[in-house]
Amino acid sequence: MQTLAYGFPKLGKKREFKKLLEGFWKGNLTEEELHKGIENLKLKRVENYQDNVDLFPSNEVSLYDFILDTAVMVGAIPGRFQPYKGLKTYFEMARGKQALELTKWFNTNYHYLVPELENQDFSILDNFPLKDFLFHQRHGINTLPKMIGPFTFLKLAKLIKPSKGGIEIEKITDPETFEVLLERLMPVYQEILKSVVEAGANIILIEEPALVMELEPWEWNLIRKTYEVLSKIADLWVLTYYDSVSDYLSFIELPVRGLGLDLVSNQENLGSLKTWGFPKDKVLIAGIINGRQVWKADLESKLREVESLLKYTDNLVISNSCPLFHLPVSLAGEDHLPPELINKLSFAEEKLTELKLIKKGLEGDPEALRVITETKKALQVSFGQKKEVNERISQLTERDFIRDIPYSERMKLQQERLKLPLFPTTTIGSFPQTEDVRAMRAKFNRGEIGAEEYKQFIRQKIVEVIKLQEDLELDVLVHGEFERTDMVEFFAQKLEGIATTKQGWVLSYGSRVYRPPIIFGDVWRSAPMTLEEITYAQSLTQKPVKGMLTGPVTILNWSYYREDLSKEQIAYQIALALLDEVKDLENAGIKIIQIDEPAFREGAPIKRRNWDEYFSWAVKAFRLCSKARPETQIHTHMCYSEFNEIIDYIAQMDFDVISIEASRSKGEIIEAFENFTGWDRQIGLGVYDIHSPSVPTKEEMKEVVRRALKVLPRELLWINPDCGLKTRRWEEVIPALKNMVEMAKELRQEARL
């Protein structure tokens, strides 16, 4: 038996990747210096693999996104980026003015760039797998070249098609079109595979997570044909993850050398394996170590599981269940956490050690067996329960999930109270967190300044941002969120039952990182969390200031959560804590409260047959925390997911206003509202992409609104950026918002004509 690990975080223990990338973008590093820094990071990173597992891949350190790399690799460059000029074009596709759409990677908080297929021809533009295999080879490191498979690439891509109004960008759902594209793509993959085999690769890893989606028979037929061709060139190991494969028998019949199954996300793959067996001539890559959760594995149980798997195959490789980049790099530096919690945790480095221990334990190594026994004891420690929390949950009734009067009546009360103009303007919540903000927070966290000095600093920032918004003539203001490190971490630090890390950074996209909290016990609120800053901001202006909360589903989905309680119950615990905050804000006179749920779609199961169960409690959790007075306007915000797929569930949330991303997707989300009968809620259109440093013109933003006005009444439309402004610079934000407000005024003038 061998061990394989893949997807180890590229970020680095000290966020070296982030610093390199941002240094290059700021002009502090040359292209040569960037590449040299990345090469050093690769060599340091690979040491983790070498110390713990038998097999590991190359081609894992993308400069932005591995799906973007795949698009470049096969020459899928839309016309607006032609001619392709290396890194300049690469980063224009990622974060330029006309960047590719950004959306969630399956049901995770990683974001990938959606490939756009325009000319429908493919050719090798940059052979990343070969280059990286040769790089490691030159340093005496034997790796397995890895790449995204052709089926997954096309399944996630969109097709650019001409239409009466210009172009349409849509998913590839027509079987004939998909087959034609796959046939055109195949020669490129064949050539790439041949190149790495000629360079000395013995086994090639192909990631095909799309095989866990609900696939039609015609799709499985195309997958089989694809691998009949590709398997003639090389020994291929096809990896799947995040869920069970949609057709186990079709999967195990694929003519490839190895097949990877996720045995952690649910029990379906294991059940199928026990029912149908596994081919004797293939390698089973068993994903038994959880790549998405930070809890230590019960290694005694895993040892028994491996022994059981060996009954079905003599060719067993044990691995992580999915890529490890969903985890922080290492537990080192987290000594502030309680020992009883630390003893239960396992980050990416520790996951590799777990694979090593299982293999050694199977071989009878005494030290490995001792550690396995000690791990079992640590996992048995309980954190207890909060009686009051569980009593509140048990006493919930249907009335707790329903606002007092219908939306049509609430809307009139809110309009009378707020007196907002047509096309009201606002922002999503955060404003730039510049060096001075981060430096002052660091001083406070290190104890170099006191609480009162830090509080006064934050208050001054609030004064400045309220004045700026009034000068810009925004209609609904925010307090800027200068006291918040992250929209989830901030609340995690205020809530009981949740721990936060110091170095537990995870990449979300590009160079953007966050530290997922760890929900280890019952969640409850011991004191108000946002009241002081919001009420102070409101005292500075006559215009309404939004209360800003992160919703229960997002806090849950962007955290590592306990596994001894259902996600539904955890969501309700968080929702009740947020409801207490909503009541406090209302009592303090706050008229608008925004409860962000960007991870609402992300947490949905990959297979749609399981959606109803998930969305049932997800909707109820939002409704529970947003049960405000009728005159209080409840907003929510969602971004960078395929929300048009879940519009029916979104409508059940019973908010008053929703703000959505509409810029990168070229307003595609608007089609969902066009096809939804009876949509009556107000919509804040994300008219410009905050993830690009480019300043949008009034005309570019107006085009998004014009498209919306074709299907939605103007009385329903708000105008806002598509996300928070925390990561942008003031010199980008101010002119962008100025253009946005002027554009809204022009729309009002046009409406009067």
Side-chain angles (χ1 to χ4, degrees):
M1 186 191 78
Q2 291 183 299
T3 53
L4 163 74
Y6 62 96
F8 192 85
K10 66 183 178 182
L11 182 59
K13 284 185 179 180
K14 297 180 180 179
R15 291 178 286 164
E16 294 93 331
F17 176 80
K18 175 183 176 68
K19 293 169 186 174
L20 285 166
L21 205 54
E22 293 178 355
F24 176 72
W25 290 339
K26 291 175 183 176
N28 298 332
L29 294 178
T30 65
E31 185 171 333
E32 183 181 352
E33 288 170 332
L34 171 66
H35 285 300
K36 185 62 179 175
I38 293 294
E39 288 179 352
N40 291 335
L41 181 61
K42 287 179 181 179
L43 294 175
K44 193 169 184 179
R45 175 181 172 276
V46 85
E47 291 173 3
N48 294 285
Y49 284 142
Q50 291 176 308
D51 293 342
N52 292 285
V53 295
D54 302 314
L55 305 168
F56 51 89
S58 50
N59 193 36
E60 289 199 306
V61 181
S62 164
L63 286 179
Y64 198 95
D65 166 50
F66 48 83
I67 295 296
L68 175 60
D69 285 8
T70 307
V72 172
M73 178 181 80
V74 302
I77 312 297
R80 65 185 183 276
F81 300 112
Q82 298 281 9
Y84 185 80
K85 297 180 180 179
L87 270 193
K88 182 177 183 296
T89 307
Y90 180 90
F91 286 128
E92 282 177 1
M93 294 173 72
R95 58 195 296 270
K97 198 167 188 177
Q98 300 184 72
L100 298 175
E101 178 186 350
L102 193 67
T103 196
K104 299 292 179 71
W105 173 247
F106 292 87
N107 58 349
T108 78
N109 191 32
Y110 178 76
H111 301 63
Y112 72 95
L113 290 157
V114 180
E116 294 177 12
L117 310 183
E118 189 168 10
N119 59 20
Q120 302 179 29
D121 289 323
F122 304 100
S123 60
I124 296 179
L125 184 57
D126 205 331
N127 194 336
F128 294 116
L130 176 62
K131 284 182 176 178
D132 207 51
F133 178 73
L134 291 174
F135 166 76
H136 285 88
Q137 195 178 65
R138 287 195 298 272
H139 288 86
I141 302 168
N142 188 31
T143 64
L144 310 184
K146 181 163 73 73
M147 65 193 81
I148 294 293
F151 181 81
T152 293
F153 176 73
L154 288 181
K155 191 73 175 173
L156 300 181
K158 291 186 177 181
L159 200 59
I160 299 178
K161 299 173 64 176
S163 68
K164 292 180 181 178
I167 61 167
E168 291 182 355
I169 303 175
E170 58 185 33
K171 288 186 174 182
I172 309 162
T173 55
D174 175 63
E176 291 185 10
T177 302
F178 200 105
E179 183 171 11
V180 168
L181 288 170
L182 194 55
E183 287 175 353
R184 292 176 178 175
L185 187 59
M186 287 298 290
V188 178
Y189 270 85
Q190 287 174 280
E191 193 174 343
I192 290 167
L193 292 178
K194 286 176 184 176
S195 71
V196 291
V197 168
E198 290 171 1
N202 297 316
I203 297 166
I204 299 168
L205 300 179
I206 307 290
E207 292 180 281
E208 288 280 19
L211 302 193
V212 307
M213 301 170 78
E214 290 172 319
L215 303 180
E216 300 290 336
W218 67 265
E219 291 175 298
W220 277 107
N221 186 45
L222 288 181
I223 294 162
R224 179 182 54 78
K225 289 181 178 179
T226 296
Y227 284 98
E228 282 177 351
V229 173
L230 297 183
S231 63
K232 293 176 181 177
I233 300 169
D235 280 348
L236 306 180
W237 288 6
V238 175
L239 303 177
T240 65
Y241 40 79
Y242 301 139
D243 205 333
S244 57
V245 290
S246 63
D247 185 336
Y248 180 78
L249 291 179
S250 293
F251 181 66
I252 63 173
E253 290 171 1
L254 291 179
V256 295
R257 183 73 182 95
L259 295 167
L261 293 169
D262 176 349
L263 301 181
V264 169
S265 59
N266 57 50
Q267 294 298 305
E268 291 180 12
N269 276 335
L270 188 59
S272 296
L273 192 150
K274 290 179 177 178
T275 300
W276 304 105
F278 191 81
K280 297 293 183 184
D281 62 336
K282 290 182 171 62
V283 176
L284 171 60
I285 302 106
I288 64 170
I289 293 298
N290 197 330
R292 293 185 65 172
Q293 279 276 34
V294 293
W295 307 111
K296 276 184 180 177
D298 181 343
L299 296 178
E300 276 192 7
S301 297
K302 295 299 178 183
L303 207 54
R304 290 194 296 271
E305 184 177 351
V306 169
E307 290 169 347
S308 175
L309 291 171
L310 287 167
K311 297 175 184 177
Y312 297 93
T313 180
D314 296 326
N315 302 312
L316 180 65
V317 173
I318 60 170
S319 183
N320 37 296
S321 65
C322 67
L324 293 173
F325 59 66
H326 302 295
L327 301 172
V329 176
S330 170
L331 266 173
E334 306 300 344
D335 297 341
H336 67 289
L337 295 173
E340 60 271 24
L341 179 56
I342 281 275
N343 291 336
K344 285 175 174 268
L345 299 178
S346 176
F347 292 175
E349 279 187 356
E350 290 76 27
K351 297 289 182 182
L352 299 181
T353 303
E354 288 181 342
L355 287 168
K356 183 178 181 179
L357 284 168
I358 293 170
K359 181 179 180 180
K360 285 186 170 293
L362 192 67
E363 295 168 349
D365 181 273
E367 178 59 21
L369 292 171
R370 184 193 66 78
V371 174
I372 288 171
T373 302
E374 290 298 316
T375 300
K376 183 78 170 181
K377 293 177 183 176
L379 295 176
Q380 292 170 345
V381 175
S382 172
F383 294 105
Q385 294 184 331
K386 180 73 173 175
K387 183 180 178 182
E388 295 87 345
V389 173
N390 292 290
E391 284 179 352
R392 287 184 75 182
I393 298 286
S394 66
Q395 292 167 7
L396 290 174
T397 67
E398 284 305 308
R399 288 298 311 166
D400 292 300
F401 302 97
I402 302 172
R403 293 186 73 179
D404 293 337
I405 62 175
Y407 170 71
S408 58
E409 297 177 35
R410 298 198 308 263
M411 180 179 65
K412 294 174 184 176
L413 292 174
Q414 293 163 13
Q415 287 176 338
E416 290 173 6
R417 190 184 191 199
L418 296 169
K419 296 179 174 57
L420 295 171
L422 196 64
F423 302 114
T425 56
T426 189
T427 62
I428 300 304
S430 62
F431 270 81
Q433 293 212 358
T434 47
E435 287 296 333
D436 63 327
V437 175
R438 295 196 295 270
M440 191 63 76
R441 184 186 299 129
K443 285 182 178 180
F444 175 63
N445 290 335
R446 291 194 298 264
E448 296 174 11
I449 61 171
E452 185 60 29
E453 184 177 350
Y454 183 62
K455 174 182 172 180
Q456 292 306 318
F457 172 80
I458 295 297
R459 285 198 162 201
Q460 181 56 36
K461 287 295 175 184
I462 293 173
V463 169
E464 293 169 4
V465 83
I466 291 294
K467 184 180 186 304
L468 171 68
Q469 291 172 91
E470 289 195 317
D471 290 346
L472 288 168
E473 298 185 51
L474 286 157
D475 300 303
V476 173
L477 314 187
V478 297
H479 78 288
E481 302 184 13
F482 300 107
E483 78 284 7
R484 305 184 187 187
T485 55
D486 171 88
M487 65 182 294
V488 171
E489 184 179 63
F490 172 80
F491 290 95
Q493 291 170 340
K494 302 278 186 178
L495 291 167
E496 305 298 326
I498 310 181
T500 56
T501 65
K502 289 184 177 179
Q503 302 298 328
W505 300 101
V506 175
L507 272 171
S508 180
Y509 61 87
S511 67
R512 181 76 179 268
V513 297
Y514 70 112
R515 289 178 294 205
I518 301 167
I519 302 173
F520 64 88
D522 288 337
V523 179
W524 53 285
R525 189 192 77 146
S526 58
M529 300 179 286
T530 68
L531 195 61
E532 182 177 336
E533 292 83 11
I534 301 295
T535 53
Y536 178 68
Q538 185 63 80
S539 73
L540 301 172
T541 180
Q542 294 300 308
K543 290 187 174 183
V545 176
K546 290 190 285 189
M548 301 300 305
L549 306 176
T550 301
V553 180
T554 294
I555 290 177
L556 173 57
N557 284 333
W558 286 359
S559 299
Y560 304 113
Y561 50 86
R562 57 192 289 196
E563 296 178 318
D564 62 337
L565 194 67
S566 70
K567 290 183 73 175
E568 178 178 5
Q569 292 298 304
I570 301 171
Y572 292 164
Q573 289 184 359
I574 301 169
L576 285 172
L578 293 171
L579 177 61
D580 293 341
E581 191 74 12
V582 167
K583 298 302 182 188
D584 282 346
L585 289 168
E586 285 186 304
N587 291 336
I590 300 303
K591 300 173 184 177
I592 301 177
I593 300 174
Q594 181 171 308
I595 306 174
D596 291 341
E597 284 290 17
F600 185 74
R601 165 68 178 85
E602 170 189 317
I606 292 172
K607 293 183 174 62
R608 297 192 181 200
R609 65 172 183 256
N610 301 320
W611 277 15
D612 283 350
E613 180 184 358
Y614 165 78
F615 282 114
S616 173
W617 63 256
V619 166
K620 289 176 72 175
F622 181 85
R623 293 177 70 136
L624 176 60
C625 74
S626 62
K627 187 175 166 58
R629 298 169 188 164
E631 65 271 21
T632 300
Q633 191 173 72
I634 294 293
H635 289 223
T636 190
H637 168 64
M638 297 182 177
C639 57
Y640 301 113
S641 286
E642 298 287 350
F643 292 114
N644 48 341
E645 298 176 349
I646 60 164
I647 192 68
D648 290 335
Y649 298 111
I650 290 175
Q652 296 171 28
M653 294 169 70
D654 200 26
F655 45 74
D656 301 308
V657 182
I658 180 172
S659 56
I660 54 169
E661 180 275 326
S663 54
R664 277 208 180 194
S665 60
K666 313 299 185 288
E668 183 181 312
I669 181 67
I670 296 163
E671 294 177 5
F673 300 106
E674 181 181 14
N675 298 325
F676 186 92
T677 304
W679 182 269
D680 60 352
R681 305 306 161 100
Q682 297 166 68
I683 300 172
L685 288 174
V687 293
Y688 80 89
D689 176 21
I690 68 92
H691 298 91
S692 169
S694 301
V695 174
T697 65
K698 288 188 287 185
E699 189 57 35
E700 288 167 342
M701 291 186 279
K702 195 177 286 187
E703 184 57 38
V704 175
V705 181
R706 286 195 186 110
R707 180 170 180 183
L709 286 170
K710 292 178 182 178
V711 299
L712 292 167
R714 63 194 183 193
E715 291 78 14
L716 296 186
L717 298 183
W718 287 58
I719 307 296
N720 47 257
D722 66 1
C723 209
L725 302 168
K726 171 184 167 183
T727 60
R728 296 269 55 93
R729 300 195 304 267
W730 286 109
E731 55 265 36
E732 300 159 357
V733 166
I734 293 173
L737 291 180
K738 185 174 183 289
N739 286 350
M740 188 186 83
V741 171
E742 289 179 0
M743 181 268 295
K745 288 180 180 179
E746 291 176 7
L747 288 171
R748 291 171 198 154
Q749 185 64 32
E750 291 170 12
R752 295 189 191 104
L753 299 178

